[in-house]
Amino acid sequence: MGRKFIPTLLAIVVTFVTPPLLRAGLIFNSGVLHASSSASGPAGSFSNAPSDVIMTTRTASHSTSVFSGIDSSANAATNVTIGPDAISINANSNFTYQTGRSSASASVSGVATFTKVDAEYMSPYASASPNRGSGNVSIQNASNVIVYSYSSSSPPTSTPIILFNPGVYTINWNWGTRPFVGTGGPTSMSFQLVHAIPEPGALLALALPPAFLIRRRARR
Protein backbone atom coordinates (compact mmCIF):
# COMPACT_ATOMS: atom_id res chain seq x y z
CA MET A 1 0.00 0.00 0.00
CA GLY A 2 2.94 2.28 0.67
CA ARG A 3 3.88 2.29 -3.01
CA LYS A 4 0.46 3.68 -3.97
CA PHE A 5 1.10 6.81 -1.95
CA ILE A 6 4.48 7.63 -3.51
CA PRO A 7 3.18 9.14 -6.81
CA THR A 8 0.66 11.21 -4.85
CA LEU A 9 3.36 12.39 -2.49
CA LEU A 10 5.59 13.38 -5.40
CA ALA A 11 2.79 15.49 -6.84
CA ILE A 12 2.26 17.16 -3.47
CA VAL A 13 5.94 17.95 -3.12
CA VAL A 14 6.13 19.41 -6.66
CA THR A 15 3.02 21.53 -6.05
CA PHE A 16 3.75 22.89 -2.60
CA VAL A 17 7.50 22.76 -2.14
CA THR A 18 8.43 24.55 -5.40
CA PRO A 19 5.50 26.87 -6.31
CA PRO A 20 7.70 29.86 -7.31
CA LEU A 21 9.48 27.72 -9.91
CA LEU A 22 6.36 26.41 -11.62
CA ARG A 23 3.70 29.05 -11.08
CA ALA A 24 3.03 31.61 -13.82
CA GLY A 25 1.19 34.91 -13.82
CA LEU A 26 2.01 37.33 -16.63
CA ILE A 27 -0.45 40.03 -17.68
CA PHE A 28 -0.12 42.13 -20.85
CA ASN A 29 -0.52 45.88 -20.30
CA SER A 30 0.33 47.81 -23.47
CA GLY A 31 2.65 47.85 -26.47
CA VAL A 32 3.66 49.52 -29.74
CA LEU A 33 5.24 48.00 -32.86
CA HIS A 34 7.22 49.97 -35.44
CA ALA A 35 8.44 49.06 -38.94
CA SER A 36 10.25 50.88 -41.73
CA SER A 37 12.08 50.07 -44.96
CA SER A 38 13.85 51.83 -47.81
CA ALA A 39 15.33 50.94 -51.18
CA SER A 40 17.10 52.91 -53.87
CA GLY A 41 18.49 52.22 -57.30
CA PRO A 42 18.26 53.29 -60.94
CA ALA A 43 14.48 53.09 -60.64
CA GLY A 44 14.46 55.67 -57.85
CA SER A 45 14.42 55.89 -54.07
CA PHE A 46 11.44 54.58 -52.11
CA SER A 47 10.56 54.16 -48.46
CA ASN A 48 7.76 52.61 -46.47
CA ALA A 49 6.99 53.46 -42.85
CA PRO A 50 3.48 52.20 -42.08
CA SER A 51 1.66 53.51 -39.02
CA ASP A 52 2.73 52.00 -35.73
CA VAL A 53 0.66 49.10 -34.49
CA ILE A 54 -0.83 49.83 -31.08
CA MET A 55 -1.25 46.58 -29.21
CA THR A 56 -4.78 46.18 -27.85
CA THR A 57 -4.44 42.47 -27.15
CA ARG A 58 -1.56 40.32 -25.99
CA THR A 59 -0.76 39.21 -29.56
CA ALA A 60 0.17 41.53 -32.44
CA SER A 61 2.29 41.75 -35.58
CA HIS A 62 3.68 44.40 -37.93
CA SER A 63 5.53 44.44 -41.24
CA THR A 64 6.99 46.65 -43.95
CA SER A 65 8.01 46.14 -47.56
CA VAL A 66 9.53 48.28 -50.30
CA PHE A 67 10.63 47.69 -53.88
CA SER A 68 12.85 49.70 -56.25
CA GLY A 69 12.83 48.00 -59.60
CA ILE A 70 14.83 44.83 -60.04
CA ASP A 71 17.88 46.27 -58.30
CA SER A 72 16.82 46.53 -54.67
CA SER A 73 14.04 45.57 -52.27
CA ALA A 74 13.61 45.14 -48.54
CA ASN A 75 11.08 43.81 -46.09
CA ALA A 76 10.85 43.08 -42.38
CA ALA A 77 8.26 41.74 -39.97
CA THR A 78 7.79 41.09 -36.26
CA ASN A 79 5.21 39.37 -34.09
CA VAL A 80 4.85 39.22 -30.33
CA THR A 81 2.75 37.35 -27.78
CA ILE A 82 2.82 38.39 -24.11
CA GLY A 83 1.22 36.25 -21.40
CA PRO A 84 -0.36 34.53 -19.73
CA ASP A 85 2.65 32.34 -18.90
CA ALA A 86 5.38 33.34 -21.37
CA ILE A 87 6.65 35.94 -23.82
CA SER A 88 7.43 35.10 -27.44
CA ILE A 89 8.95 37.48 -30.01
CA ASN A 90 10.02 36.81 -33.58
CA ALA A 91 11.51 39.21 -36.11
CA ASN A 92 12.93 38.81 -39.60
CA SER A 93 14.27 40.92 -42.43
CA ASN A 94 15.23 40.36 -46.04
CA PHE A 95 16.86 42.63 -48.58
CA THR A 96 18.46 42.52 -52.02
CA TYR A 97 20.66 45.06 -53.77
CA GLN A 98 23.29 45.37 -56.43
CA THR A 99 26.69 46.38 -55.06
CA GLY A 100 27.71 49.81 -56.26
CA ARG A 101 24.41 50.76 -57.85
CA SER A 102 21.66 50.30 -55.23
CA SER A 103 20.97 49.95 -51.51
CA ALA A 104 18.20 48.61 -49.28
CA SER A 105 17.40 48.29 -45.58
CA ALA A 106 14.51 47.36 -43.31
CA SER A 107 13.93 47.23 -39.57
CA VAL A 108 11.26 46.41 -37.00
CA SER A 109 11.06 47.19 -33.31
CA GLY A 110 8.68 47.08 -30.40
CA VAL A 111 8.11 48.03 -26.80
CA ALA A 112 5.59 46.49 -24.42
CA THR A 113 4.82 46.48 -20.71
CA PHE A 114 3.57 43.58 -18.65
CA THR A 115 2.78 42.87 -15.03
CA LYS A 116 4.29 39.91 -13.20
CA VAL A 117 1.71 38.75 -10.68
CA ASP A 118 3.73 36.18 -8.75
CA ALA A 119 7.39 35.94 -7.84
CA GLU A 120 8.81 33.44 -10.30
CA TYR A 121 12.09 32.26 -11.74
CA MET A 122 12.09 32.64 -15.53
CA SER A 123 14.64 31.92 -18.26
CA PRO A 124 15.14 33.89 -21.50
CA TYR A 125 16.08 32.04 -24.69
CA ALA A 126 17.32 34.11 -27.64
CA SER A 127 18.86 33.22 -30.98
CA ALA A 128 19.64 35.06 -34.18
CA SER A 129 21.27 34.74 -37.58
CA PRO A 130 23.39 37.89 -37.47
CA ASN A 131 25.24 37.56 -40.76
CA ARG A 132 22.96 40.10 -42.50
CA GLY A 133 21.05 41.54 -39.56
CA SER A 134 21.43 42.72 -35.99
CA GLY A 135 19.21 43.38 -33.02
CA ASN A 136 18.72 43.59 -29.29
CA VAL A 137 16.28 42.61 -26.55
CA SER A 138 16.14 44.12 -23.07
CA ILE A 139 13.84 43.87 -20.07
CA GLN A 140 13.75 46.43 -17.27
CA ASN A 141 11.73 46.74 -14.09
CA ALA A 142 9.64 49.66 -12.83
CA SER A 143 12.81 51.28 -11.43
CA ASN A 144 14.36 51.25 -14.94
CA VAL A 145 16.89 48.64 -13.86
CA ILE A 146 17.74 46.26 -16.70
CA VAL A 147 17.17 42.70 -15.52
CA TYR A 148 18.09 41.09 -18.85
CA SER A 149 19.66 42.13 -22.14
CA TYR A 150 20.58 40.31 -25.34
CA SER A 151 22.59 41.49 -28.33
CA SER A 152 23.03 39.51 -31.52
CA SER A 153 26.54 40.91 -31.85
CA SER A 154 27.64 39.45 -28.50
CA PRO A 155 25.20 36.71 -27.46
CA PRO A 156 25.44 35.26 -23.93
CA THR A 157 27.25 31.98 -23.49
CA SER A 158 24.64 30.50 -21.14
CA THR A 159 20.95 30.83 -20.31
CA PRO A 160 20.36 32.68 -17.04
CA ILE A 161 17.65 32.00 -14.47
CA ILE A 162 16.14 35.31 -13.35
CA LEU A 163 13.85 35.97 -10.41
CA PHE A 164 10.97 38.19 -11.51
CA ASN A 165 9.34 39.75 -8.47
CA PRO A 166 5.75 41.01 -8.67
CA GLY A 167 5.58 44.32 -10.53
CA VAL A 168 5.54 46.04 -13.92
CA TYR A 169 8.24 45.33 -16.52
CA THR A 170 9.07 46.77 -19.94
CA ILE A 171 10.50 44.77 -22.81
CA ASN A 172 12.17 46.41 -25.82
CA TRP A 173 13.37 44.72 -28.99
CA ASN A 174 14.63 45.67 -32.43
CA TRP A 175 15.88 43.89 -35.50
CA GLY A 176 17.07 45.14 -38.86
CA THR A 177 19.34 44.63 -41.82
CA ARG A 178 22.97 45.66 -41.65
CA PRO A 179 25.51 46.40 -44.41
CA PHE A 180 26.61 43.22 -46.10
CA VAL A 181 29.04 42.64 -48.94
CA GLY A 182 27.14 40.73 -51.61
CA THR A 183 23.52 40.83 -52.65
CA GLY A 184 21.78 40.67 -49.27
CA GLY A 185 19.49 37.90 -48.07
CA PRO A 186 17.22 36.81 -45.20
CA THR A 187 17.99 36.94 -41.49
CA SER A 188 15.98 36.55 -38.29
CA MET A 189 15.83 36.66 -34.49
CA SER A 190 13.68 34.80 -31.97
CA PHE A 191 13.19 35.31 -28.24
CA GLN A 192 11.25 33.51 -25.52
CA LEU A 193 10.83 34.12 -21.81
CA VAL A 194 9.44 31.08 -20.01
CA HIS A 195 9.23 29.84 -16.44
CA ALA A 196 12.33 28.01 -15.31
CA ILE A 197 11.65 24.34 -14.58
CA PRO A 198 13.88 22.78 -11.92
CA GLU A 199 15.93 19.72 -12.74
CA PRO A 200 13.99 16.45 -12.21
CA GLY A 201 16.74 15.25 -9.90
CA ALA A 202 16.19 18.21 -7.60
CA LEU A 203 12.47 17.46 -7.31
CA LEU A 204 13.18 13.79 -6.68
CA ALA A 205 15.61 14.68 -3.92
CA LEU A 206 12.91 16.75 -2.26
CA ALA A 207 10.40 13.94 -2.53
CA LEU A 208 12.51 10.96 -1.52
CA PRO A 209 12.80 11.49 2.26
CA PRO A 210 9.02 11.67 2.99
CA ALA A 211 8.32 8.94 0.44
CA PHE A 212 10.89 6.72 2.11
CA LEU A 213 9.28 7.30 5.50
CA ILE A 214 5.82 6.42 4.22
CA ARG A 215 7.16 3.27 2.62
CA ARG A 216 8.85 2.20 5.83
CA ARG A 217 5.67 2.92 7.80
CA ALA A 218 3.63 0.85 5.35
CA ARG A 219 5.98 -2.11 5.80
CA ARG A 220 5.52 -1.94 9.51
Side-chain angles (χ1 to χ4, degrees), residues 65-143:
S65 180
V66 70
F67 180 74
S68 177
I70 61 174
D71 288 289
S72 61
S73 63
N75 60 75
T78 185
N79 60 73
V80 56
T81 299
I82 297 181
D85 58 358
I87 294 177
S88 176
I89 297 172
N90 293 285
N92 62 79
S93 61
N94 192 358
F95 68 110
T96 61
Y97 67 97
Q98 301 297 321
T99 304
R101 57 179 288 170
S102 63
S103 62
S105 63
S107 64
V108 286
S109 60
V111 56
T113 63
F114 62 93
T115 298
K116 193 69 187 71
V117 178
D118 302 316
E120 181 185 14
Y121 288 101
M122 304 191 78
S123 289
Y125 296 89
S127 63
S129 52
N131 54 336
R132 300 178 181 92
S134 63
N136 301 273
V137 179
S138 67
I139 303 175
Q140 62 187 40
N141 60 23
S143 300

Coordinates of all heavy atoms in Angstrom, one line a residue, residues 65-143:
S65 N 7.4 46.6 -46.3 CA 8.0 46.1 -47.6 C 8.2 47.3 -48.6 O 7.3 48.2 -48.6 CB 7.1 45.1 -48.2 OG 7.7 44.5 -49.4
V66 N 9.3 47.2 -49.3 CA 9.5 48.3 -50.3 C 10.3 47.7 -51.5 O 11.0 46.7 -51.3 CB 10.3 49.4 -49.7 CG1 11.8 49.0 -49.4 CG2 10.3 50.7 -50.6
F67 N 10.1 48.3 -52.7 CA 10.6 47.7 -53.9 C 11.1 48.8 -54.8 O 10.4 49.8 -55.0 CB 9.6 46.8 -54.6 CG 10.0 46.2 -55.9 CD1 10.9 45.1 -55.8 CD2 9.6 46.7 -57.1 CE1 11.3 44.5 -57.0 CE2 10.0 46.1 -58.3 CZ 10.8 45.0 -58.2
S68 N 12.3 48.7 -55.3 CA 12.8 49.7 -56.3 C 13.4 49.0 -57.5 O 14.6 48.6 -57.6 CB 14.0 50.5 -55.6 OG 14.5 51.4 -56.5
G69 N 12.5 48.7 -58.4 CA 12.8 48.0 -59.6 C 13.4 46.6 -59.3 O 13.1 46.0 -58.3
I70 N 14.2 46.2 -60.2 CA 14.8 44.8 -60.0 C 16.1 44.9 -59.3 O 16.8 43.9 -59.0 CB 15.1 44.2 -61.4 CG1 16.1 45.0 -62.2 CG2 13.8 44.0 -62.2 CD1 16.5 44.3 -63.5
D71 N 16.6 46.1 -58.9 CA 17.9 46.3 -58.3 C 17.9 46.1 -56.8 O 18.8 45.6 -56.2 CB 18.5 47.6 -58.7 CG 18.9 47.7 -60.1 OD1 19.9 47.0 -60.4 OD2 18.2 48.3 -60.9
S72 N 16.8 46.6 -56.1 CA 16.8 46.5 -54.7 C 15.4 46.4 -54.1 O 14.4 46.9 -54.7 CB 17.5 47.8 -54.1 OG 16.8 48.9 -54.5
S73 N 15.3 45.7 -53.0 CA 14.0 45.6 -52.3 C 14.4 45.2 -50.8 O 15.5 44.7 -50.5 CB 13.2 44.5 -52.9 OG 13.8 43.2 -52.8
A74 N 13.4 45.4 -50.0 CA 13.6 45.1 -48.5 C 12.3 44.9 -47.9 O 11.3 45.5 -48.2 CB 14.4 46.3 -47.8
N75 N 12.3 44.0 -46.9 CA 11.1 43.8 -46.1 C 11.5 43.3 -44.7 O 12.6 42.7 -44.5 CB 10.1 42.8 -46.8 CG 10.7 41.5 -47.0 OD1 10.9 40.7 -46.1 ND2 11.1 41.2 -48.3
A76 N 10.6 43.5 -43.8 CA 10.8 43.1 -42.4 C 9.5 42.9 -41.7 O 8.5 43.5 -42.1 CB 11.7 44.1 -41.6
A77 N 9.5 42.0 -40.7 CA 8.3 41.7 -40.0 C 8.6 41.3 -38.5 O 9.7 40.8 -38.3 CB 7.4 40.7 -40.7
T78 N 7.6 41.5 -37.6 CA 7.8 41.1 -36.3 C 6.4 40.7 -35.7 O 5.4 41.2 -36.1 CB 8.4 42.2 -35.4 OG1 8.6 41.7 -34.1 CG2 7.5 43.4 -35.3
N79 N 6.4 39.7 -34.8 CA 5.2 39.4 -34.1 C 5.6 39.1 -32.6 O 6.7 38.7 -32.3 CB 4.5 38.2 -34.7 CG 5.4 36.9 -34.8 OD1 5.6 36.3 -33.7 ND2 5.9 36.5 -35.9
V80 N 4.6 39.3 -31.8 CA 4.9 39.2 -30.3 C 3.6 38.7 -29.6 O 2.5 39.0 -30.0 CB 5.3 40.6 -29.7 CG1 4.2 41.6 -30.0 CG2 5.5 40.5 -28.2
T81 N 3.8 37.8 -28.6 CA 2.8 37.3 -27.8 C 3.2 37.5 -26.3 O 4.3 37.0 -26.0 CB 2.4 35.9 -28.1 OG1 1.9 35.8 -29.4 CG2 1.3 35.4 -27.1
I82 N 2.5 38.2 -25.5 CA 2.8 38.4 -24.1 C 1.8 37.8 -23.2 O 0.6 38.2 -23.3 CB 3.0 39.9 -23.8 CG1 4.2 40.4 -24.7 CG2 3.2 40.2 -22.4 CD1 4.4 41.9 -24.5
G83 N 2.1 36.9 -22.4 CA 1.2 36.2 -21.4 C 0.4 35.1 -22.0 O 0.5 34.9 -23.2
P84 N -0.3 34.4 -21.2 CA -0.4 34.5 -19.7 C 0.8 33.9 -18.9 O 0.9 34.1 -17.8 CB -1.7 33.8 -19.4 CG -1.8 32.8 -20.4 CD -1.2 33.4 -21.7
D85 N 1.6 33.0 -19.6 CA 2.6 32.3 -18.9 C 4.0 32.4 -19.6 O 5.0 31.8 -19.1 CB 2.3 30.9 -18.7 CG 2.0 30.1 -20.0 OD1 2.1 30.8 -21.1 OD2 1.8 28.9 -20.0
A86 N 4.1 33.2 -20.7 CA 5.4 33.3 -21.4 C 5.3 34.5 -22.3 O 4.3 35.1 -22.5 CB 5.7 32.1 -22.2
I87 N 6.5 34.9 -22.8 CA 6.7 35.9 -23.8 C 7.4 35.3 -25.0 O 8.3 34.6 -24.9 CB 7.5 37.1 -23.3 CG1 6.7 37.9 -22.2 CG2 7.8 38.1 -24.4 CD1 7.5 39.0 -21.6
S88 N 6.8 35.6 -26.2 CA 7.4 35.1 -27.4 C 7.5 36.2 -28.5 O 6.5 36.9 -28.7 CB 6.6 33.9 -28.0 OG 7.1 33.5 -29.2
I89 N 8.7 36.4 -29.0 CA 8.9 37.5 -30.0 C 9.7 36.9 -31.2 O 10.7 36.2 -31.0 CB 9.7 38.7 -29.4 CG1 8.9 39.3 -28.3 CG2 10.1 39.7 -30.5 CD1 9.7 40.4 -27.5
N90 N 9.3 37.2 -32.4 CA 10.0 36.8 -33.6 C 10.2 38.0 -34.5 O 9.3 38.9 -34.6 CB 9.3 35.7 -34.3 CG 9.3 34.4 -33.5 OD1 10.2 33.7 -33.5 ND2 8.1 34.1 -32.9
A91 N 11.3 38.1 -35.2 CA 11.5 39.2 -36.1 C 12.4 38.7 -37.3 O 13.2 37.8 -37.1 CB 12.2 40.4 -35.4
N92 N 12.1 39.2 -38.4 CA 12.9 38.8 -39.6 C 13.1 40.0 -40.6 O 12.2 40.9 -40.6 CB 12.3 37.6 -40.3 CG 10.9 37.9 -40.8 OD1 10.8 38.5 -41.9 ND2 9.9 37.4 -40.1
S93 N 14.1 39.9 -41.4 CA 14.3 40.9 -42.4 C 14.9 40.3 -43.6 O 15.6 39.2 -43.5 CB 15.2 42.1 -41.9 OG 16.4 41.6 -41.5
N94 N 14.7 40.9 -44.8 CA 15.2 40.4 -46.0 C 15.5 41.5 -47.0 O 14.7 42.5 -47.0 CB 14.2 39.4 -46.7 CG 14.9 38.6 -47.8 OD1 16.0 38.8 -48.1 ND2 14.1 37.7 -48.4
F95 N 16.6 41.5 -47.6 CA 16.9 42.6 -48.6 C 17.8 42.2 -49.7 O 18.5 41.2 -49.6 CB 17.5 43.8 -47.9 CG 18.9 43.6 -47.4 CD1 20.0 44.2 -47.9 CD2 19.1 42.7 -46.3 CE1 21.3 44.0 -47.5 CE2 20.4 42.5 -45.8 CZ 21.5 43.1 -46.4
T96 N 17.6 42.8 -50.9 CA 18.5 42.5 -52.0 C 18.9 43.8 -52.6 O 18.2 44.9 -52.6 CB 17.7 41.7 -53.1 OG1 16.6 42.5 -53.6 CG2 17.2 40.4 -52.6
Y97 N 20.1 43.9 -53.1 CA 20.7 45.1 -53.8 C 21.8 44.7 -54.6 O 22.4 43.6 -54.5 CB 21.1 46.1 -52.7 CG 22.3 45.7 -51.9 CD1 23.6 46.2 -52.2 CD2 22.1 44.9 -50.8 CE1 24.7 45.8 -51.5 CE2 23.2 44.6 -50.0 CZ 24.5 45.0 -50.4 OH 25.6 44.6 -49.6
Q98 N 22.2 45.6 -55.5 CA 23.3 45.4 -56.4 C 24.4 46.2 -56.0 O 24.3 47.5 -55.9 CB 22.9 45.7 -57.9 CG 21.8 44.9 -58.4 CD 22.1 43.4 -58.5 OE1 23.2 43.1 -58.9 NE2 21.1 42.6 -58.2
T99 N 25.6 45.6 -55.6 CA 26.7 46.4 -55.1 C 27.1 47.5 -56.0 O 27.4 47.2 -57.2 CB 27.9 45.4 -54.8 OG1 27.4 44.4 -53.9 CG2 29.0 46.2 -54.2
G100 N 27.2 48.7 -55.5 CA 27.7 49.8 -56.3 C 26.6 50.6 -57.0 O 26.9 51.7 -57.5
R101 N 25.4 50.0 -57.1 CA 24.4 50.8 -57.8 C 23.1 50.9 -57.1 O 22.2 51.5 -57.6 CB 24.2 50.1 -59.2 CG 23.8 48.6 -59.1 CD 23.6 48.1 -60.5 NE 22.4 48.6 -61.2 CZ 22.0 48.4 -62.4 NH1 22.9 47.7 -63.2 NH2 20.9 48.8 -62.9
S102 N 22.9 50.2 -56.0 CA 21.7 50.3 -55.2 C 21.9 50.0 -53.8 O 23.0 49.5 -53.4 CB 20.6 49.3 -55.8 OG 21.1 48.0 -55.7
S103 N 20.9 50.3 -52.9 CA 21.0 50.0 -51.5 C 19.6 49.7 -51.0 O 18.6 50.1 -51.6 CB 21.6 51.1 -50.7 OG 20.7 52.3 -50.9
A104 N 19.5 49.0 -49.9 CA 18.2 48.6 -49.3 C 18.4 48.3 -47.8 O 19.4 47.8 -47.4 CB 17.6 47.4 -50.0
S105 N 17.4 48.6 -47.0 CA 17.4 48.3 -45.6 C 16.0 48.2 -45.1 O 15.0 48.8 -45.6 CB 18.2 49.4 -44.8 OG 17.5 50.6 -44.9
A106 N 15.8 47.5 -44.0 CA 14.5 47.4 -43.3 C 14.7 47.0 -41.8 O 15.7 46.4 -41.5 CB 13.7 46.3 -44.0
S107 N 13.8 47.5 -41.0 CA 13.9 47.2 -39.6 C 12.5 47.2 -38.9 O 11.6 47.8 -39.4 CB 14.8 48.3 -38.9 OG 14.1 49.6 -39.0
V108 N 12.5 46.5 -37.8 CA 11.3 46.4 -37.0 C 11.7 46.5 -35.5 O 12.8 46.2 -35.2 CB 10.5 45.1 -37.2 CG1 9.8 45.1 -38.6 CG2 11.4 43.9 -37.1
S109 N 10.8 47.0 -34.7 CA 11.1 47.2 -33.3 C 9.8 47.2 -32.5 O 8.7 47.4 -33.1 CB 11.8 48.5 -33.0 OG 11.1 49.6 -33.4
G110 N 9.9 47.1 -31.2 CA 8.7 47.1 -30.4 C 9.0 47.4 -28.9 O 10.1 47.2 -28.5
V111 N 8.0 47.8 -28.2 CA 8.1 48.0 -26.8 C 6.8 47.6 -26.2 O 5.7 47.9 -26.7 CB 8.5 49.5 -26.5 CG1 7.5 50.5 -27.1 CG2 8.6 49.7 -25.0
A112 N 6.8 46.9 -25.1 CA 5.6 46.5 -24.4 C 5.8 46.4 -22.9 O 6.9 46.2 -22.4 CB 5.1 45.1 -25.0
T113 N 4.8 46.6 -22.2 CA 4.8 46.5 -20.7 C 3.9 45.3 -20.3 O 2.9 45.0 -20.9 CB 4.4 47.8 -20.0 OG1 3.0 48.0 -20.3 CG2 5.2 48.9 -20.4
F114 N 4.4 44.7 -19.2 CA 3.6 43.6 -18.6 C 3.7 43.6 -17.1 O 4.7 44.1 -16.6 CB 4.0 42.2 -19.2 CG 5.4 41.8 -19.0 CD1 5.8 41.1 -17.8 CD2 6.5 42.3 -19.8 CE1 7.1 40.7 -17.6 CE2 7.8 41.9 -19.5 CZ 8.1 41.1 -18.4
T115 N 2.8 43.0 -16.5 CA 2.8 42.9 -15.0 C 3.0 41.4 -14.6 O 2.4 40.5 -15.1 CB 1.4 43.3 -14.4 OG1 1.2 44.7 -14.7 CG2 1.4 43.2 -12.9
K116 N 4.0 41.2 -13.8 CA 4.3 39.9 -13.2 C 3.5 39.8 -11.9 O 3.8 40.6 -11.0 CB 5.8 39.7 -13.0 CG 6.2 38.3 -12.7 CD 6.0 37.5 -13.9 CE 6.2 36.0 -13.6 NZ 5.1 35.4 -12.8
V117 N 2.6 38.9 -11.8 CA 1.7 38.8 -10.7 C 2.4 38.1 -9.5 O 2.3 38.5 -8.4 CB 0.4 38.0 -11.1 CG1 -0.5 37.8 -9.8 CG2 -0.3 38.7 -12.2
D118 N 3.1 37.0 -9.8 CA 3.7 36.2 -8.8 C 5.2 36.3 -8.9 O 5.8 36.4 -10.0 CB 3.3 34.7 -8.8 CG 1.8 34.5 -8.7 OD1 1.2 35.2 -7.8 OD2 1.2 33.7 -9.5
A119 N 5.9 36.1 -7.8 CA 7.4 35.9 -7.8 C 7.7 34.6 -8.5 O 7.2 33.6 -8.1 CB 8.0 36.0 -6.4
E120 N 8.6 34.7 -9.5 CA 8.8 33.4 -10.3 C 10.2 33.5 -11.0 O 10.6 34.6 -11.4 CB 7.7 33.3 -11.4 CG 7.9 32.1 -12.2 CD 6.8 32.0 -13.4 OE1 6.2 33.1 -13.6 OE2 6.7 30.9 -14.0
Y121 N 10.8 32.4 -11.0 CA 12.1 32.3 -11.7 C 11.8 32.0 -13.2 O 11.0 31.1 -13.5 CB 13.0 31.1 -11.2 CG 13.5 31.4 -9.8 CD1 13.0 30.9 -8.7 CD2 14.7 32.3 -9.7 CE1 13.5 31.2 -7.4 CE2 15.2 32.6 -8.5 CZ 14.6 32.1 -7.3 OH 15.2 32.4 -6.1
M122 N 12.3 32.8 -14.1 CA 12.1 32.6 -15.5 C 13.4 32.6 -16.3 O 14.4 33.2 -15.8 CB 11.2 33.8 -16.1 CG 9.9 33.9 -15.3 SD 8.7 34.9 -16.2 CE 8.1 33.8 -17.5
S123 N 13.4 32.0 -17.4 CA 14.6 31.9 -18.3 C 14.4 32.5 -19.6 O 13.4 32.2 -20.3 CB 15.1 30.5 -18.4 OG 15.6 30.0 -17.2
P124 N 15.3 33.4 -20.1 CA 15.1 33.9 -21.5 C 16.0 33.0 -22.5 O 17.1 32.6 -22.2 CB 15.7 35.3 -21.4 CG 16.7 35.2 -20.3 CD 16.3 34.1 -19.4
Y125 N 15.4 32.8 -23.6 CA 16.1 32.0 -24.7 C 16.1 32.9 -25.9 O 15.0 33.3 -26.4 CB 15.4 30.7 -25.0 CG 15.4 29.7 -23.8 CD1 14.4 29.7 -22.9 CD2 16.5 28.8 -23.7 CE1 14.5 28.8 -21.8 CE2 16.5 27.9 -22.6 CZ 15.5 27.9 -21.7 OH 15.6 27.1 -20.6
A126 N 17.2 33.3 -26.5 CA 17.3 34.1 -27.6 C 18.3 33.5 -28.6 O 19.3 32.9 -28.3 CB 17.8 35.5 -27.3
S127 N 18.0 33.7 -29.9 CA 18.9 33.2 -31.0 C 18.7 34.1 -32.2 O 17.6 34.8 -32.3 CB 18.6 31.8 -31.4 OG 17.3 31.6 -31.9
A128 N 19.7 34.2 -33.0 CA 19.6 35.1 -34.2 C 20.6 34.6 -35.2 O 21.6 33.9 -34.9 CB 20.0 36.5 -33.8
S129 N 20.3 35.0 -36.5 CA 21.3 34.7 -37.6 C 21.8 36.1 -38.0 O 21.2 36.8 -38.8 CB 20.6 34.1 -38.8 OG 19.4 34.8 -39.1
P130 N 22.9 36.5 -37.4 CA 23.4 37.9 -37.5 C 24.3 38.2 -38.7 O 24.8 39.3 -38.8 CB 24.2 38.1 -36.2 CG 24.8 36.7 -36.0 CD 23.7 35.7 -36.5
N131 N 24.3 37.3 -39.6 CA 25.2 37.6 -40.8 C 24.8 38.7 -41.6 O 25.6 39.5 -42.2 CB 25.4 36.3 -41.6 CG 24.0 35.8 -42.1 OD1 23.0 36.0 -41.4 ND2 24.0 35.0 -43.2
R132 N 23.5 39.0 -41.7 CA 23.0 40.1 -42.5 C 22.0 41.0 -41.7 O 21.4 41.9 -42.2 CB 22.2 39.6 -43.7 CG 23.1 38.8 -44.7 CD 22.2 38.3 -45.9 NE 23.0 37.5 -46.8 CZ 23.2 36.1 -46.7 NH1 22.5 35.5 -45.7 NH2 23.9 35.5 -47.5
G133 N 21.9 40.7 -40.4 CA 21.0 41.5 -39.6 C 21.6 41.7 -38.2 O 22.5 41.0 -37.8
S134 N 21.0 42.5 -37.4 CA 21.4 42.7 -36.0 C 20.3 43.2 -35.2 O 19.3 43.8 -35.7 CB 22.6 43.7 -35.9 OG 22.2 45.0 -36.4
G135 N 20.3 42.9 -33.9 CA 19.2 43.4 -33.0 C 19.5 43.2 -31.5 O 20.5 42.6 -31.2
N136 N 18.6 43.6 -30.7 CA 18.7 43.6 -29.3 C 17.4 43.3 -28.6 O 16.3 43.6 -29.2 CB 19.3 44.9 -28.7 CG 20.6 45.3 -29.3 OD1 21.7 44.9 -28.9 ND2 20.6 46.1 -30.4
V137 N 17.4 42.8 -27.4 CA 16.3 42.6 -26.6 C 16.7 43.0 -25.1 O 17.8 42.6 -24.7 CB 15.8 41.1 -26.5 CG1 14.6 41.0 -25.6 CG2 15.4 40.7 -27.9
S138 N 15.8 43.8 -24.5 CA 16.1 44.1 -23.1 C 14.9 44.2 -22.3 O 13.8 44.5 -22.8 CB 16.9 45.5 -23.0 OG 16.0 46.5 -23.4
I139 N 15.0 43.8 -21.0 CA 13.8 43.9 -20.1 C 14.3 44.7 -18.8 O 15.3 44.4 -18.3 CB 13.4 42.5 -19.6 CG1 13.1 41.6 -20.8 CG2 12.2 42.5 -18.7 CD1 12.7 40.2 -20.5
Q140 N 13.5 45.6 -18.5 CA 13.8 46.4 -17.3 C 12.5 46.5 -16.4 O 11.4 46.4 -16.8 CB 14.2 47.8 -17.7 CG 13.1 48.7 -18.4 CD 13.7 50.0 -18.9 OE1 14.8 50.1 -19.4 NE2 12.9 51.0 -18.8
N141 N 12.8 46.7 -15.1 CA 11.7 46.7 -14.1 C 11.2 48.2 -14.0 O 11.6 49.1 -14.7 CB 12.2 46.2 -12.7 CG 13.4 46.9 -12.2 OD1 13.6 48.1 -12.5 ND2 14.1 46.3 -11.3
A142 N 10.3 48.4 -13.0 CA 9.6 49.7 -12.8 C 10.6 50.7 -12.4 O 10.4 51.9 -12.5 CB 8.5 49.6 -11.8
S143 N 11.8 50.3 -11.8 CA 12.8 51.3 -11.4 C 13.8 51.5 -12.5 O 14.9 52.1 -12.3 CB 13.5 50.8 -10.2 OG 12.6 50.6 -9.1

